[in-house]
């Protein structure tokens, strides 16, 4: 049966009324309903829908007409209430989120024409093209993406150098730009130490120790792992050192690298010998025996941090004897082996280096199937190695692989010590300790049941400001039975102490060094100084969480929702490439 | 390319012509007096790229029946259909004769059309007048009422408006009306009420002073006052005149026309001149009058997307908060998002038409087919929705996007023209 309600002088836009009609028609017991203003044309539409009634004829263009087809007359009140509620709530309904994102470079640069850095975290095959564009737009590039051919890396870095820009990465996991974290980074207090590092977790370990020891960092510039290769020639590292030398807030420069190409290492040292600011280097895997005037050489990441702090405070650099407390754990005579399962590649390397050194292993560090060390029953694995992360999340996010290794090692009656790291900061799991704890508790209990004790020793790489709770993470690990140390260096030495070994360290005297290498020229462009001295203005191409971390810590960011050009169609990409680079040779230019 | 070195330069030149354009409404005249092709036997113009009678959707066919009755080629529906089935009628796309037509776009010899001249290039464009809403020819209705209204428009509305416009030395400056109405909440496709009122404001003092029959005067004023979308057809002719002027630069990748015939969506780009690049049309998404749903909707038809080509309509969604709900159930935020997204596929913004709700940014200027292909973002077109059966007319309104394939074909053809071997 048709019911007609006329609300006089109740004008509403037709769109509102269509929305309202849709809403009301969902009420149970309503067969059909139409709500429109009573214009002649609308009356015709009522007619076509079979809802034209006699009462409707009286409605004017300024009256809202409601015609309901229902068997239950009591529904009318419900409908009217619904209508009133809908119209009343209209004005108060919040408009949807209007945060602007970009899908093209033009738009991104329009949204922040003052942007100075592109943070790129898209699939590696596309990263070079976007980095190229970033440089063309005058932006520094922070390339988180990996799998970029080294020739491309060289080309991009050469191009950046010529333009006075920095390319961080590819495969650069960590950076701090004037206090703002880039990619997987800890929240480190500001200070007067500048870091350049060809190693992501190396930067994390050094910067977090600096922070926890009361120091602070101006900038931490990741260069990517291949920067110090013969091919790339340390372009980014040399430029970054030059820039930090000129940057007013930086008093101390820290250089971190895994073993570099000899020629490039010498080039870096030659540059460091020419600068005015004191510097400390760590070329992981080398065991330096001396310091130079104003240039100090560290063996471990912890030592690097400690020297940097001493220099930052203007104190004399002394050898720090780490006091190792041997834990009260009784090992069986079979328990001889140390096994390290790391999510941080550099931490793994450091552990392997210390173990190989202390145990005087015949075979040193390797790089094979994720193993950094695998000899005489000892092993250290970098679970962040490509072979473990292909198609799987990084071990800083996903504990699964690591738990499997820990369980295997614990079942082995010859395992004495299991070493591990928990890396905090943006990008890492919100509770990695909590993820690992049950498994660790379990293996310790199982070993006990089998009549032996197991030493699980770990370190938490992080600061009190990190998004995760540093103290709580330590607490969780300790409750699970982990012996938690302040640094990876200390953790590894503690494990070594258990098997009766120590790492011998001689005092390093300051020595005069003849540099055969001519020092490269110090150049620092305005763009570089701007990057290091001001809050970064970032175009974030890829992972949205990186943008959130930047915003949270006071940086400025435009989110670029990147998709492959032309939906990834290679033929259309070729067409676009052709058209975009087309230059008419015969053009009679107007 | 012969005049420009790069595509960007050519595109810039096309966009500059759009910005510089000066469309004026000159007259309202019988279509056959300005479109010679309509005088060569039984000829009908239709919307979109070329289409055969048998492939037209039902409402477009219904419009043809209505036009045949109006032109008195037949005196009943059966005879009209038989005649059309026999192939007695020649079909020409509106776009091929400097015209544009809403929805079915069916235009016949004696229908009055508005005449818009783009002063900067001297080219003209034509469009039939808006018939109002409900049962109307453009949505496929062809009842006695529909045909009678067309006769009245031919005999009364057209001549009266013509007389009124003749009193203006220069014609009516349309850029001025558009600039005013955009600030009053029109986006010129879904919503034209402000522009229609400004138009009425301009012509009513003239109409009341004309030496004409009092009843006709009253009817014309009433019709213009009742017809909220009256300006849409003028806007279409205006956009057509502007885009035709701009596409005299036959280089670059700026989209110069978008239109649909119910079978295919067609676009033109500046560098490919008159060539259409087509792909099957989509069906609009939107809100429906009671009793109708997406199942009843006719696939997208009409030349009205010339408004989006020019930069208004869906491209200027943010200008008309009142119609933003058609985007979905969202409000202002969605409209803002839509227009902001459209900025990604255009090369600039037109400073002549600034949008208050957009911080006075100019409307979108120059859709670049390259950017459409690069991003996969297609223009948003605000549109009416016709019932898929002839005779019922409009059943809703909403938005529709062109198939990206049109743009892909266009840039590929252009790259080949410039020497790329694919």
């Amino acid at each position: 049966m048709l019911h007609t309600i006329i609300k006089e002088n109740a004008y509403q836009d037709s769109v509102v009324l269509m929305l309202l009609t849709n809403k009301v028609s969902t009420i149970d017991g309503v067969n059909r309903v139409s709500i429109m203003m009573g214009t002649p044309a609308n009356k015709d539409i009522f007619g076509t829908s079979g809802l034209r009634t006699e009462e409707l004829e009286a409605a004017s263009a300024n009256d809202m007409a409601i015609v309901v087809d229902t068997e239950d007359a009591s529904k009318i009140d419900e409908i009217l209430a619904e209508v009133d509620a809908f119209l009343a709530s209209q004005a108060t309904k919040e408009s949807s989120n209007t945060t602007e994102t970009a899908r093209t470079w033009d738009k991104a640069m329009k949204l922040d024409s003052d942007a100075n850095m592109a943070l790129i975290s898209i699939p590696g095959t596309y990263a070079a093209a976007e980095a190229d564009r970033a440089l063309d737009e005058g932006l520094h590039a922070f390339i988180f993406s990996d799998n970029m051919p080294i020739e491309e890396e060289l080309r991009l870095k050469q191009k950046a150098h010529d333009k006075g820009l920095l390319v961080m990465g590819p495969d650069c996991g960590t950076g701090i730009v004037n206090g703002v974290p880039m990619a997987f980074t800890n929240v480190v207090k500001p200070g007067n130490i500048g870091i350049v590092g060809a190693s992501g977790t190396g930067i994390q370990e050094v910067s977090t120790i600096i922070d926890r020891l009361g120091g602070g960092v101006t900038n931490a510039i990741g260069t990517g792992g291949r920067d110090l290769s013969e091919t790339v020639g340390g372009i980014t590292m040399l430029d970054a050192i030059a820039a930090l030398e000129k940057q007013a807030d930086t008093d101390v420069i820290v250089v971190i690298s895994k073993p570099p190409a000899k020629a490039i290492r010498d080039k870096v040292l030659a540059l460091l010998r020419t600068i005015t600011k004191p510097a400390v280097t760590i070329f992981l895997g080398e065991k330096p025996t001396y310091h130079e005037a104003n240039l100090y050489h560290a063996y471990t990441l912890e030592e690097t941090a400690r020297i940097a702090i001493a220099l930052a405070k203007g104190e004399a650099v002394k050898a720090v004897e780490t006091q190792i407390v041997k834990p009260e754990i009784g090992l069986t005579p079979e328990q001889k082996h140390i096994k390290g399962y790391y999510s941080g590649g550099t931490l793994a390397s450091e552990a392997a280096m210390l173990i190989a050194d202390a145990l005087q292993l015949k075979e040193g560090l390797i790089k094979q199937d994720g193993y950094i060390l695998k000899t005489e029953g000892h092993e250290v694995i970098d679970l962040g190695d490509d072979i473990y992360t292909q198609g799987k999340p990084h071990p800083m996010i996903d504990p699964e692989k690591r738990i499997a290794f820990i369980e295997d090692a614990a079942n082995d009656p010859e395992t004495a010590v299991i070493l591990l790291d928990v890396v905090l900061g943006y990008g890492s799991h919100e509770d990695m300790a909590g993820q690992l704890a049950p498994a660790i508790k379990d293996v310790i209990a199982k070993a006990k049941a089998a009549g032996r004790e197991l030493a699980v020793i770990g370190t938490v790489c992080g600061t009190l400001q990190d998004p995760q709770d540093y103290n709580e993470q330590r607490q969780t690990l300790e409750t699970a039975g982990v012996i938690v140390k302040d640094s990876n260096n200390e953790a590894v030495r503690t494990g070594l102490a258990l098997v009766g070994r120590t790492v011998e360290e001689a005092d390093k005297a300051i020595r005069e060094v003849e540099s055969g290498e001519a020092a490269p020229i110090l150049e620092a462009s305005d763009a570089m100084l701007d990057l290091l001295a001001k809050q970064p203005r970032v175009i974030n191409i890829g992972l949205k969480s990186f943008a959130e971390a930047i915003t949270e810590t006071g940086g400025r960011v435009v989110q670029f929702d990147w998709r492959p050009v032309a939906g990834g169609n290679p033929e259309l990409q070729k067409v676009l490439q052709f058209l975009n680079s087309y230059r008419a040779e015969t053009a009679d230019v107007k | 390319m012969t005049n420009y070195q790069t595509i960007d330069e050519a595109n810039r030149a096309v966009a500059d012509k759009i910005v510089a354009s000066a469309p004026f409404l000159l007259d309202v005249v019988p279509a056959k007096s300005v479109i010679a092709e309509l005088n060569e036997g039984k000829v009908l113009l239709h919307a979109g790229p070329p289409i055969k009678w048998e492939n037209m959707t039902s409402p477009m066919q219904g419009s043809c029946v209505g036009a045949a009755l109006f032109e008195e080629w037949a005196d009943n529906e059966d005879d009209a259909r038989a005649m059309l089935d026999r192939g007695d009628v020649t079909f020409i796309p509106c776009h091929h004769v400097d015209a544009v037509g809403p929805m079915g776009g069916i235009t016949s010899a004696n229908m009055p059309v508005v005449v818009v001249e783009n002063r900067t290039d001297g080219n003209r464009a034509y469009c039939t007048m808006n018939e109002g809403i409900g049962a109307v020819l453009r949505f496929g209705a062809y009842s006695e009422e529909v045909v009678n209204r067309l006769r009245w428009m031919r005999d009364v509305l057209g001549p009266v408006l013509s007389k009124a416009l003749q009193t203006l030395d220069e014609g009516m400056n349309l850029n001025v009306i558009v600039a005013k109405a955009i600030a009053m909440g029109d986006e010129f496709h879904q919503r034209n009420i402000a522009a229609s009122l400004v138009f009425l404001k301009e012509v009513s003092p003239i109409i009341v002073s004309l030496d004409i029959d009092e009843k006709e005067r009253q009817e014309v004023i009433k019709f213009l006052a009742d017809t909220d979308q009256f300006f849409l057809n003028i806007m279409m002719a205006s956009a057509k005149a502007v885009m035709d002027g701009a596409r005299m630069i036959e280089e670059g990748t700026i989209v110069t026309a978008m239109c649909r015939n119910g079978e295919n969506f067609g676009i033109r780009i500046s560098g490919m001149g008159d060539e259409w690049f087509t792909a099957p049309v989509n069906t609009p998404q939107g809100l429906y009058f009671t009793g109708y749903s997406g199942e009843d909707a006719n696939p997208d038809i009409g030349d009205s997307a010339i408004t989006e080509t020019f930069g208004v309509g869906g491209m200027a969604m943010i200008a008309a908060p009142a119609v933003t709900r058609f985007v979905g159930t969202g409000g202002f935020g969605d409209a803002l998002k839509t227009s902001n997204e459209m900025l990604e596929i255009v090369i600039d913004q037109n400073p002549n038409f600034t949008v208050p709700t957009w911080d006075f940014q100019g409307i979108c200027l120059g859709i670049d087919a390259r950017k459409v292909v690069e991003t996969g973002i297609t223009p948003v077109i605000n549109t009416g929705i016709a019932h898929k059966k002839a005779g019922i007319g409009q059943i809703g309104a909403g938005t529709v996007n062109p198939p990206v394939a049109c743009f892909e074909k266009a840039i590929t053809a252009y790259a080949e023209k410039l020497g790329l071997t694919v």
Side-chain angles (χ1 to χ4, degrees):
Chain A
M1 194 188 161
L2 297 184
H3 304 267
T4 308
I5 305 124
I6 309 291
K7 289 169 85 77
E8 285 179 19
N9 281 319
Y11 180 78
Q12 286 292 338
D13 186 90
S14 62
V15 182
V16 171
L17 295 181
M18 278 197 241
L19 288 167
L20 178 55
T21 302
N22 288 352
K23 184 125 198 276
V24 172
S25 41
T26 60
I27 295 177
D28 272 347
V30 172
N31 300 329
R32 276 182 313 155
V33 60
S34 186
I35 309 172
M36 286 192 276
M37 299 308 293
T39 63
N42 284 345
K43 287 176 188 169
D44 288 346
I45 293 172
F46 273 111
T48 347
S49 336
L51 293 174
R52 194 159 187 157
T53 61
E54 237 174 83
E55 297 99 306
L56 186 66
E57 298 309 318
S60 84
N62 289 327
D63 301 338
M64 187 190 300
I66 306 170
V67 181
V68 190
D69 176 9
T70 178
E71 307 314 316
D72 180 359
S74 71
K75 288 285 161 194
I76 304 296
D77 285 344
E78 191 181 333
I79 290 167
L80 283 177
E82 186 69 45
V83 168
D84 290 343
F86 180 89
L87 296 176
S89 71
Q90 260 211 108
T92 55
K93 205 186 273 168
E94 253 186 274
S95 207
S96 50
N97 184 10
T98 55
T99 306
E100 265 201 77
T101 58
R103 283 279 304 277
T104 54
W105 271 101
D106 290 348
K107 172 86 174 288
M109 293 307 293
K110 206 178 245 177
L111 287 176
D112 192 349
S113 55
D114 198 28
N116 67 342
M117 167 130 96
L119 173 48
I120 301 168
S121 55
I122 58 175
T125 43
Y126 302 106
E130 300 306 332
D132 223 354
R133 179 70 191 262
L135 296 175
D136 287 338
E137 298 284 352
L139 306 183
H140 305 283
F142 184 113
I143 309 171
F144 180 80
S145 316
D146 54 8
N147 288 317
M148 184 188 288
I150 195 164
E151 300 74 30
E152 282 289 282
E153 176 174 348
L154 173 63
R155 184 182 64 77
L156 288 168
K157 287 187 168 175
Q158 195 57 57
K159 178 174 175 172
H161 176 81
D162 294 344
K163 299 182 94 157
L165 297 168
L166 279 178
V167 169
M168 291 163 258
D171 201 6
C172 182
T174 300
I176 300 169
V177 177
N178 219 289
V180 176
M182 296 290 141
F184 285 5
T185 307
N186 305 89
V187 185
V188 176
K189 285 194 287 283
N192 60 350
I193 300 170
I195 302 175
V196 193
S199 138
T201 40
I203 294 178
Q204 288 190 276
E205 176 80 346
V206 172
S207 63
T208 53
I209 295 173
I210 288 174
D211 177 285
R212 294 200 311 268
L213 291 177
V217 167
T218 53
N219 293 280
I221 299 163
T223 65
R226 299 182 305 205
D227 191 64
L228 299 189
S229 67
E230 202 86 52
T231 312
V232 181
I235 297 173
T236 300
M237 179 159 284
L238 295 169
D239 281 347
I241 292 169
L244 287 171
E245 161 75 0
K246 294 268 163 76
Q247 206 261 319
D249 299 335
T250 303
D251 294 331
V252 178
I253 297 173
V254 174
V255 169
I256 304 168
S257 175
K258 288 188 230 179
K262 166 96 175 46
I264 312 310
R265 171 187 175 280
D266 292 348
K267 216 173 183 176
V268 169
L269 288 172
L271 179 66
L272 289 171
R273 285 176 192 124
T274 67
I275 62 173
T276 60
K277 295 179 181 176
V280 46
T281 67
I282 174 167
F283 297 110
L284 211 80
E286 291 183 10
K287 193 167 187 180
T289 52
Y290 60 90
H291 296 308
E292 301 173 44
N294 226 21
L295 177 56
Y296 299 83
H297 303 297
Y299 176 48
T300 64
L301 296 164
E302 183 186 347
E303 187 191 2
T304 309
R306 288 185 185 279
I307 295 175
I309 292 237
L311 293 171
K313 290 183 181 162
E315 294 167 358
V317 172
K318 300 177 294 203
V320 192
E321 194 63 43
T322 319
Q323 289 302 318
I324 300 301
V325 184
K326 188 177 158 188
E328 305 223 340
I329 286 182
L331 297 174
T332 67
E334 292 83 46
Q335 283 182 284
K336 291 183 304 237
H337 299 148
I338 301 182
K339 317 235 172 188
Y341 303 112
Y342 281 87
S343 62
T346 306
L347 297 174
S349 296
E350 185 181 52
M353 171 188 85
L354 291 166
I355 295 166
D357 187 358
L359 299 177
Q360 292 167 329
L361 297 176
K362 287 192 279 297
E363 201 181 347
L365 270 54
I366 55 167
K367 202 168 179 357
Q368 203 172 27
D369 300 339
Y371 284 91
I372 309 284
L373 183 83
K374 191 183 187 184
T375 182
E376 296 166 34
H378 308 285
E379 65 183 32
V380 175
I381 303 180
D382 170 15
L383 289 158
D385 190 277
D386 285 352
I387 70 155
Y388 299 112
T389 55
Q390 260 161 22
K392 290 204 130 230
H394 194 276
M396 286 185 197
I397 299 166
D398 183 1
E400 194 190 313
K401 199 83 206 164
R402 192 136 66 142
I403 287 172
F405 273 109
I406 290 173
E407 282 169 349
D408 278 355
N411 281 336
D412 181 347
E414 293 185 6
T415 301
V417 176
I418 295 175
L419 295 168
L420 55 87
D421 62 344
V422 167
V423 180
L424 309 183
Y426 284 107
S428 294
H429 196 284
E430 57 186 19
D431 180 21
M432 183 49 77
Q435 296 288 304
L436 296 173
I440 293 169
K441 214 169 174 172
D442 205 40
V443 298
I444 291 174
K446 262 192 190 159
K448 196 157 224 161
R452 59 178 188 272
E453 284 190 88
L454 194 60
V456 182
I457 306 174
T459 181
V460 177
C461 173
T463 70
L464 295 175
Q465 302 86 255
D466 274 331
Q468 302 89 348
D469 187 327
Y470 175 80
N471 287 326
E472 205 172 276
Q473 290 289 297
R474 284 187 72 132
Q475 188 61 51
T476 304
L477 290 176
E478 277 165 0
T479 309
V482 179
I483 300 158
V484 183
K485 293 294 170 187
D486 290 342
S487 72
N488 187 49
N489 173 48
E490 196 185 334
V492 178
R493 287 175 195 246
T494 304
L496 286 165
L498 267 174
V499 295
R501 297 301 185 106
T502 50
V503 181
E504 303 298 339
E505 258 186 292
D507 253 351
K508 286 175 272 193
I510 293 186
R511 209 204 269 177
E512 193 79 19
V513 175
E514 271 303 306
S515 175
E517 186 82 14
I521 304 152
L522 273 174
E523 281 176 302
S525 67
D526 290 347
M528 283 185 202
L529 294 176
D530 176 74
L531 177 74
L532 301 183
K534 291 189 195 155
Q535 293 275 288
R537 288 88 63 194
V538 183
I539 308 284
N540 183 51
I541 306 163
L543 292 174
K544 232 176 183 150
S545 59
F546 289 172
E548 286 155 14
I550 292 168
T551 314
E552 269 178 44
T553 45
R556 218 158 80 194
V557 65
V558 168
Q559 176 61 24
F560 186 142
D561 282 337
W562 183 90
R563 318 265 158 87
V565 165
N569 180 326
E571 271 169 38
L572 289 169
Q573 287 172 350
K574 199 173 138 198
V575 166
L576 284 170
Q577 173 69 25
F578 173 84
L579 290 174
N580 292 342
S581 59
Y582 182 83
R583 291 196 85 78
E585 279 165 23
T586 57
D588 167 20
V589 177
K590 275 183 177 166
Chain B
M1 297 204 297
T2 52
N3 289 315
Y4 303 93
Q5 239 186 349
T6 65
I7 311 272
D8 285 341
E9 282 174 23
N11 286 351
R12 185 69 251 169
V14 176
D16 287 346
K17 287 200 89 170
I18 297 171
V19 174
S21 65
F24 281 73
L25 176 62
L26 298 186
D27 206 348
V28 177
V29 299
K32 65 182 179 188
S33 69
V34 284
I35 300 169
E37 290 82 348
L38 288 172
N39 298 305
E40 294 159 13
K42 294 189 177 72
V43 178
L44 290 178
L45 309 182
H46 66 78
I51 186 171
K52 292 183 183 139
W53 159 254
E54 57 267 32
N55 295 334
M56 288 178 185
T57 58
S58 182
M60 194 186 259
Q61 289 189 337
S63 300
C64 294
V65 170
L69 296 172
F70 167 75
E71 290 292 340
E72 294 170 17
W73 296 337
D75 57 12
N76 63 75
E77 182 189 343
D78 291 346
D79 287 355
R81 281 196 186 270
M83 181 188 71
L84 288 156
D85 284 339
R86 277 197 308 273
D88 289 359
V89 176
T90 306
F91 289 101
I92 305 174
C94 295
H95 268 287
H96 291 193
V97 292
D98 301 328
V100 274
M103 300 309 288
I106 299 303
T107 304
S108 66
N110 290 293
M111 291 181 188
V113 291
V114 299
V115 178
V116 174
E117 182 174 282
N118 176 17
R119 284 277 153 78
T120 48
D121 284 291
N123 65 303
R124 293 184 175 193
Y126 315 104
C127 186
T128 52
M129 285 189 289
N130 193 279
E131 315 155 72
I133 58 168
V136 286
L137 188 81
R138 69 179 186 280
F139 280 100
Y142 50 82
S143 63
E144 185 72 18
E145 176 200 353
V146 172
V147 174
N148 279 340
R149 189 187 304 113
L150 291 176
R151 291 189 177 122
W152 176 81
M153 290 171 77
R154 175 191 65 196
D155 299 335
V156 178
L157 180 62
V160 170
L161 287 176
S162 177
K163 271 185 200 153
L165 290 166
Q166 293 319 301
T167 66
L168 304 170
D169 293 340
E170 298 255 282
M172 191 181 284
N173 188 334
L174 295 175
N175 277 350
V176 173
I177 296 183
V178 172
K180 282 179 186 165
I182 206 158
M184 297 163 76
D186 279 357
E187 45 68 80
F188 304 99
H189 197 165
Q190 205 83 269
R191 183 182 155 101
N192 281 278
I193 187 164
S196 298
L197 288 173
V198 174
F199 177 77
L200 178 64
K201 173 181 94 71
E202 295 296 324
V203 292
S204 55
I206 306 173
I207 291 172
V208 295
S209 69
L210 290 176
D211 179 20
I212 51 170
D213 178 80
E214 201 51 42
K215 181 168 162 281
E216 292 184 352
R217 188 195 321 277
Q218 202 274 335
E219 283 172 357
V220 166
I221 295 284
K222 169 131 180 55
F223 182 83
L224 293 177
D226 283 348
T227 309
D228 291 353
Q229 285 283 65
F230 192 79
F231 194 78
L232 170 59
N233 300 42
I234 300 172
M235 185 71 226
M236 285 172 60
S238 176
K240 168 72 174 163
V242 170
M243 297 315 293
D244 275 356
R247 76 191 187 93
M248 289 175 184
I249 293 173
E250 296 206 336
E251 297 183 25
T253 51
I254 297 294
V255 176
T256 57
M258 294 193 286
C259 59
R260 325 76 108 194
N261 61 24
E263 180 187 27
N264 286 308
F265 198 106
I267 70 158
R268 282 170 166 172
I269 63 168
S270 51
M272 293 303 290
D274 288 344
E275 196 170 337
W276 291 109
F277 298 93
T278 64
V281 283
N282 297 320
T283 298
Q285 306 281 314
L287 290 172
Y288 290 88
F289 302 147
T290 296
Y292 302 106
S293 72
E295 305 231 316
D296 304 309
N298 195 64
D300 196 23
I301 52 173
D303 288 335
S304 55
I306 194 73
T307 58
E308 277 81 8
T309 317
F310 171 68
V312 290
M315 305 292 288
M317 193 78 87
I318 187 59
V323 299
T324 59
R325 301 278 191 101
F326 283 112
V327 189
T329 49
F332 187 83
D334 278 344
L336 182 59
K337 224 176 241 175
T338 301
S339 279
N340 282 340
E341 187 173 59
M342 293 301 104
L343 280 184
E344 306 247 24
I345 54 170
V346 298
I347 68 162
D348 205 351
Q349 289 172 274
N350 191 330
N352 295 335
F353 309 109
T354 57
V355 183
T357 43
W358 210 14
D359 274 341
F360 296 92
Q361 293 186 74
I363 58 168
C364 289
L365 171 65
I367 298 169
D368 185 344
R370 289 178 305 175
K371 293 187 176 213
V372 173
V373 175
E374 182 193 329
T375 60
I377 299 171
T378 52
V380 171
I381 294 165
N382 286 348
T383 190
I385 305 173
H387 197 288
K388 63 184 175 191
K389 274 202 294 223
I392 297 174
Q394 184 172 13
I395 57 167
T399 62
V400 70
N401 292 82
V404 74
C406 298
F407 302 87
E408 294 173 353
K409 287 178 186 172
I411 64 158
T412 305
Y414 188 48
E416 283 170 0
K417 182 179 161 185
L418 293 181
L420 177 74
T421 2
V422 180

